[in-house]
Amino acid sequence: MKELDEIKKLFEESLGLVKTMEDLNNLRTNFLGKSGHLTTCMKLIKDMSPEDKKSFGVGVNVLKDEVNKGIAEKQVELENLAIEKELADMPKVDLTTPTGKEKGSLHPVTIIEQRLGNIFRSMGFTIEDGNEVETEYNNFEAVNIPKFHPARDMQDTFYLNNGQVLKTHTSASQNRIMRKYGAPLKAIFPGRCFRNEELDASHENTFFQMEGMMIDKNVSISNLIYFMKTMLSEVFEREVNVRLRPGFFPFVEPGFELDCSCPYCGGKGCRVCKHSGWIELCPCGMIHPNVLKMGGIDPEEYQGFAFGLGLSRLVMMTYGFGDIRHLNGKDLKILEQTKLK
Ligand code: DAH
């Protein structure tokens, strides 16, 4: 019996030292193999007295069970450790992580539109949606371009069978917005516009504008200049100057072409401003009384300014695109240059 205790102690010690499957196999052989400790013990039985035989036999069997159990448990433990190690050594792959290569990005027009939106929102303007398919009335009559007015020639567009048109300018939404909110009103409305154009590097049949209107009591050209200067300085992230030249648009009186001092050379003259120091950026003016009236606003009480920023043009300038057709093109290499980092 003393031997059994010793074997048990030896087994427990040896089991504690097992680190690998190989160690475990050796242990198994040492205790249960043909000449293992337990097998050798069994051989002693035949020389024992019948009483000793019985108690010793029971003792050996109990120990044998313990040894088998210990080995089996150790085996499970080692197998689990092996799985854990394999998992830990595996390269970490998160299938939900987008890989850099396929990562999408906002379209450059959207990027600039959102930037402008934030600037105007911070100055108290709301951002409105405009329709792409408009009534002929909203696109022309409501902005003081009656039927057969020569201004229509410059804005030939796509006419639908039902008499509606693909809007030629964001000014087409002016009437709807005035009717929706009334005065006072401060809103911008970016949108896609369409014209029947001879296509070239600076003319597309589909392009983007951003219209803005401010209507209130005592609004003057000074307000127009202030907002345009502030907005453009924000857009170009440097102080710019603006100047107004007379320009004709049927829906404003007086109407202007607004030039901005070249943000790239600071007005000294460069390739972008064609060495003039100024860039023609944004037609604008004081809203024509007829337009206010048609929008349901009394021109005796309220005045306002409006502007129509060439969004596509601004995008091209900002990113140095030489051809407007890239903006609707499918060449992702070009569009990806503007990806936000
Ligand atoms: N709608 C004009 C165009 O597309 C641009 C424009 C000019 C808009 C003067 C305005 C404005 O709001 O005041 O040619």
Side-chain angles (χ1 to χ4, degrees), residues 96-323:
T96 63
T97 308
T99 61
K101 219 171 156 210
E102 286 88 20
K103 206 165 144 192
S105 62
L106 294 178
H107 190 279
V109 170
T110 309
I111 296 174
I112 298 294
E113 189 182 308
Q114 288 184 350
R115 252 174 66 194
L116 287 169
N118 288 338
I119 295 167
F120 275 104
R121 206 184 285 119
S122 75
M123 298 194 290
F125 285 71
T126 63
I127 302 175
E128 306 297 327
D129 243 352
N131 298 347
E132 288 179 0
V133 175
E134 260 300 357
T135 57
E136 207 180 322
Y137 173 83
N138 276 341
N139 197 80
F140 295 119
E141 276 95 330
V143 284
N144 213 21
I145 312 179
K147 271 201 179 10
F148 309 114
H149 189 286
R152 287 209 185 190
D153 287 352
M154 277 147 45
Q155 301 200 3
D156 187 20
T157 183
F158 303 87
Y159 286 79
L160 308 187
N161 287 339
N162 65 5
Q164 291 190 315
V165 298
L166 296 192
K167 76 158 180 266
T168 60
H169 51 179
T170 39
S171 311
S173 307
Q174 285 194 4
N175 190 270
R176 215 181 273 283
I177 289 168
M178 282 186 286
R179 293 213 162 267
K180 183 168 172 195
Y181 294 108
L185 158 68
K186 264 159 104 185
I188 55 164
F189 27 111
R192 191 182 264 122
C193 305
F194 309 86
R195 285 188 203 179
N196 180 11
E197 291 279 7
E198 204 62 61
L199 304 191
D200 63 26
S202 44
H203 294 89
E204 247 292 26
N205 54 28
T206 306
F207 57 96
F208 295 84
Q209 291 187 340
M210 180 180 274
E211 191 94 358
M213 274 200 298
M214 175 176 173
I215 301 173
D216 208 335
K217 291 181 178 162
N218 303 319
V219 173
S220 71
I221 297 172
S222 323
N223 299 105
L224 169 64
I225 294 174
Y226 168 79
F227 276 105
M228 293 325 250
K229 187 171 149 65
T230 310
M231 181 271 287
L232 292 171
S233 298
E234 285 282 333
V235 171
F236 293 117
E237 291 166 339
R238 69 182 289 179
E239 177 89 14
V240 294
N241 286 320
V242 294
R243 72 175 185 192
L244 297 179
R245 287 177 292 117
F248 173 73
F249 303 94
F251 31 91
V252 279
E253 181 58 40
F256 307 105
E257 291 289 354
L258 181 137
D259 299 335
C260 153
S261 61
C262 178
Y264 298 99
C265 61
K268 284 197 222 60
C270 68
R271 203 173 52 82
V272 181
C273 60
K274 301 199 183 86
H275 302 282
S276 71
W278 293 93
I279 292 180
E280 184 180 322
L281 207 57
C282 182
C284 53
M286 299 304 293
I287 303 173
H288 196 288
N290 287 353
V291 174
L292 289 172
K293 251 186 254 165
M294 282 185 275
I297 294 172
D298 180 1
E300 298 296 328
E301 201 180 349
Y302 289 100
Q303 305 81 45
F305 67 76
F307 61 88
L309 189 70
L311 195 53
S312 296
R313 209 157 147 252
L314 187 62
V315 171
M316 286 170 71
M317 261 174 62
T318 308
Y319 294 114
F321 287 171
D323 194 321

Side-chain angles (χ1 to χ4, degrees), residues 82-92:
I83 291 171
E84 270 165 33
K85 183 168 179 317
E86 198 180 326
L87 286 175
D89 289 349
M90 252 175 28
K92 304 267 176 303

